[in-house]
């Protein structure tokens, strides 16, 4: 069964600091997705990573994928308060279509 | 593109009652998903449709749960004989044909079973 694990589950950061969220998955997949969820809202797609070595960046967020290690990272550079949210990674097995999510990392950026 | 629409936004029901939720996906999206999310957890996959065909169904989905997508457009999720453990946010998502596209989520239906 496809499992997706994120760590840390909770992250309290100070503004202007850097940090990395890790996402491990259990079976072969070369598609990895990152989503953001604000409190009381639904999920919004951030990044789609489609091959080994893929790197995507938007603003202070950068995501990468290592399919051999079955690992994706979401790096936050110089955090600001409006990045506070819960971040989910998700992946799909090649032989079916159900997208499985990690438990999420709840990020709080403090002044 | 009006986004994925779910109705109702909130539903409060008594244990043992039946409830039905509706999802209208983005019109050109042929793939539709239902997830359940409880507080502090990630979305749990429930079921998946490609057009009108239900192709995947989670073992989490007991026989009290049923989903349909007649004509491959909107979908309904019905829960019969609700239990308190069914209280959760029920999320619908859609994506177009093409293996790589992300899911587009609706705002969800929050179910409270008293």
């Amino acid at each position: 069964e496809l499992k997706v694990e994120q760590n840390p589950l909770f992250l309290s950061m100070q503004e202007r600091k850097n940090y990395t969220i890790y996402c491990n998955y259990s079976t072969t997949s070369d598609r990895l997705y990152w989503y953001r969820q604000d409190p009381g809202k639904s999920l919004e797609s951030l990044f789609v990573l489609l091959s080994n070595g893929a790197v995507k960046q938007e603003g202070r967020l950068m995501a990468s994928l290592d399919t051999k290690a079955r690992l994706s990272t979401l790096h936050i550079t110089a955090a600001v308060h409006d990045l506070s949210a819960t971040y989910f990674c998700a992946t799909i097995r090649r032989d079916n279509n159900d997208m499985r999510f990690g438990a999420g990392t709840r990020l709080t950026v403090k002044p | 593109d009006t986004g994925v629409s779910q109705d109702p936004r909130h539903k409060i029901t008594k244990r043992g009652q039946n409830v039905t939720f509706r999802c209208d996906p983005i019109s050109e999206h042929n793939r539709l998903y239902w997830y359940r999310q409880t507080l502090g957890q990630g979305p749990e996959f429930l079921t998946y449709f490609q057009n009108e065909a239900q192709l995947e169904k989670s073992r989490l989905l007991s026989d009290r749960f049923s989903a349909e997508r007649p004509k491959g457009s909107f979908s309904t999720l019905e829960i019969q004989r609700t239990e308190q453990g069914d209280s959760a946010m029920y999320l619908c998502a859609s994506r177009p044909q093409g293996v790589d596209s992300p899911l587009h989520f609706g705002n969800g239906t929050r179910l409270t079973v008293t």
Side-chain angles (χ1 to χ4, degrees):
Chain A
E1 183 184 334
L2 178 56
K3 292 185 179 177
V4 182
E5 292 186 351
Q6 287 183 238
N7 75 84
L9 298 182
F10 298 92
L11 178 55
S12 181
M13 295 178 64
Q14 287 192 312
E15 283 186 328
R16 295 182 296 278
K17 296 290 188 184
N18 304 334
Y19 210 83
T20 301
I21 299 170
Y22 297 89
C23 174
N24 290 91
Y25 52 95
S26 61
T27 63
T28 302
S29 174
D30 54 7
R31 286 170 277 160
L32 196 290
Y33 303 80
W34 284 96
Y35 294 84
R36 169 180 171 145
Q37 186 175 36
D38 290 296
K41 301 289 178 79
S42 196
L43 283 82
E44 173 188 344
S45 175
L46 289 174
F47 298 112
V48 179
L49 302 167
L50 299 175
S51 60
N52 186 40
V55 176
K56 294 273 183 79
Q57 181 162 6
E58 176 139 353
R60 299 174 188 275
L61 300 178
M62 183 173 73
S64 65
L65 178 61
D66 180 343
T67 58
K68 293 178 182 175
R70 298 179 185 169
L71 170 68
S72 179
T73 60
L74 181 66
H75 187 72
I76 303 150
T77 302
V80 292
H81 178 69
D82 64 7
L83 289 180
S84 296
T86 300
Y87 293 86
F88 294 96
C89 63
T91 191
I92 295 183
R93 267 183 14 215
R94 288 182 183 176
D95 59 349
N96 68 24
N97 278 283
D98 69 76
M99 190 177 292
R100 298 297 175 101
F101 286 78
T105 296
R106 188 178 300 175
L107 172 66
T108 305
V109 181
K110 298 181 176 177
Chain B
D1 180 355
T2 57
V4 178
S5 176
Q6 290 188 246
D7 184 67
R9 292 294 305 273
H10 300 94
K11 178 72 177 177
I12 300 172
T13 191
K14 292 185 177 178
R15 190 175 54 188
Q17 298 294 305
N18 299 344
V19 294
T20 300
F21 310 140
R22 178 181 170 121
C23 171
D24 287 89
I26 294 171
S27 57
E28 61 268 26
H29 289 186
N30 67 332
R31 300 175 181 195
L32 186 146
Y33 297 73
W34 284 99
Y35 286 86
R36 179 174 67 189
Q37 187 178 27
T38 53
L39 198 62
Q41 299 297 315
E44 293 176 294
F45 171 78
L46 294 178
T47 191
Y48 157 70
F49 289 85
Q50 184 163 312
N51 300 311
E52 65 276 8
Q54 188 174 20
L55 298 185
E56 303 275 352
K57 193 172 171 181
S58 167
R59 286 184 221 112
L60 291 174
L61 218 61
S62 75
D63 55 8
R64 297 185 298 106
F65 287 71
S66 61
E68 294 184 337
R69 193 183 181 196
K71 303 178 184 177
S73 56
F74 72 91
S75 176
T76 57
L77 178 68
E78 182 184 15
I79 309 173
Q80 296 183 326
R81 305 181 302 282
T82 52
E83 301 172 356
Q84 285 188 318
D86 297 332
S87 296
M89 177 73 85
Y90 289 84
L91 296 168
C92 177
S94 68
R95 64 200 282 249
Q97 189 69 30
V99 295
D100 302 331
S101 47
L103 296 176
H104 296 253
F105 281 88
N107 287 324
T109 294
R110 181 168 295 284
L111 173 66
T112 302
V113 182
T114 61

